[in-house]
Amino acid sequence: MCTRLSYLGPDDRTLTARSMDWKVDIGTNIWTLPRGIERDGKVGPASLTWTARYGSVVATAFDEVTTDGVNEAGLVANLLWLPESEYPDWDGESSAMSISLWAQYMLDNFETVAEAVENVRQEDFAVVTAQVPGEDRLAALHLSLSDATGDSAIMEFVDGELVVHHSHDYQVMTNSPTFDKQLALAEYWKEIGGTVMLPGTNRPADRFVRARFYADAIPHVEDRRTATASVFSVIRNVSVPYGISTPDEPHISSTRWRTVVDHKDLIYYFESALTPNVFWIELDDIDVSSEADARVLELGSNQSNTFSGEVSDRMVASEPFTFLGAPPSSNHVIVVSNAEFGRDNPHNTGGSRS
């Protein structure tokens, strides 16, 4: 599901955009989550536990999964579908968390991509996949991170290994193929040049090529309005027209919503396919202290409730949503281990195996 891109402008004007593509409504709402929340991994007795160091603004799936968001330090996390995911086994006893918390764990704990990658290198824990709500299959996901410095990382699971791609250069990703093959596509199309020809289908590989070309081609300016408009124009260009879906390939489906995050000014923009307006939340206008309530902006069926402008005052205090749990023992897991992580060159692929 989806496309993600980062924009690196002058004077630290960094933005990250993503589209959410799926065949049915995923029940998205927007939440502000304060720091200080105690969390557990939702996999039973072996659950990893932590306390949120940073408050965040997130978009959910079914109010059970953090799919997208930014924390108060400017770290952005995006979950995208990766059908090629292959997970190693988990023994049911080592420290673990449900995949529904994977993005939130990053937002809760880290200020920069480098900190998150270093944690993955040093900390042994498993990320256990769970059944997609309403469907008879397990989630197959990869995770992108970006921060206010323009740094990026993509974490995915190939042939039973965790693979981490870490570099400022990794500005664009889609939900397929695996990222190493997306980089090969980039090299191929670099020789052709987007002014000559660009692939135009809804396939993830084609969306990757278009997003990469346009992310480089648009004006790179410090002016917030121009930069934001430019980034929105690119993520719209790689969106899938509403009403289109491909049977058995939900990652080639209608774009339901788009987000753009301004890392410099800490603004979270949201655009639904079914409403005429972009609206946003300025993190400086919300209270994410440990004494604050969680708050929710209910977007309605298919995110059809209409909002415009800054909406933090429209959010309603609520108990935090409950993350989707995973079975306490599973053969479909993602294992994060420092045992064999590639440390020699952190800007190239590093892998680990359980």
Side-chain angles (χ1 to χ4, degrees), residues 29-32 63 294-299 314-318:
N29 290 310
I30 296 178
W31 289 76
T32 62
D63 275 354
R295 304 183 76 84
V296 61
L297 184 71
E298 295 189 353
L299 302 184
R314 304 284 299 275
M315 305 189 79
V316 178
S318 175

Side-chain angles (χ1 to χ4, degrees), residues 152-187:
S152 287
I154 290 89
M155 301 181 183
E156 56 191 25
F157 302 88
V158 182
D159 297 328
E161 292 186 356
L162 171 68
V163 178
V164 177
H165 303 268
H166 178 203
S167 172
H168 281 67
D169 295 333
Y170 299 153
Q171 295 174 247
V172 177
M173 66 179 288
T174 55
N175 41 267
S176 184
T178 53
F179 193 69
D180 60 328
K181 294 179 180 178
Q182 293 183 35
L183 294 177
L185 282 170
E187 285 300 311

Side-chain angles (χ1 to χ4, degrees), residues 69-107:
V70 58
N71 71 15
E72 60 183 306
L75 182 73
V76 169
N78 314 103
L79 277 182
L80 284 72
W81 194 260
L82 179 64
E84 294 89 349
S85 298
E86 295 183 22
Y87 308 143
D89 292 339
W90 173 51
D91 59 13
E93 298 179 359
S94 58
S95 185
M97 74 175 82
S98 168
I99 198 170
S100 67
L101 287 129
W102 194 17
Q104 192 64 52
Y105 174 80
M106 302 299 177
L107 296 176

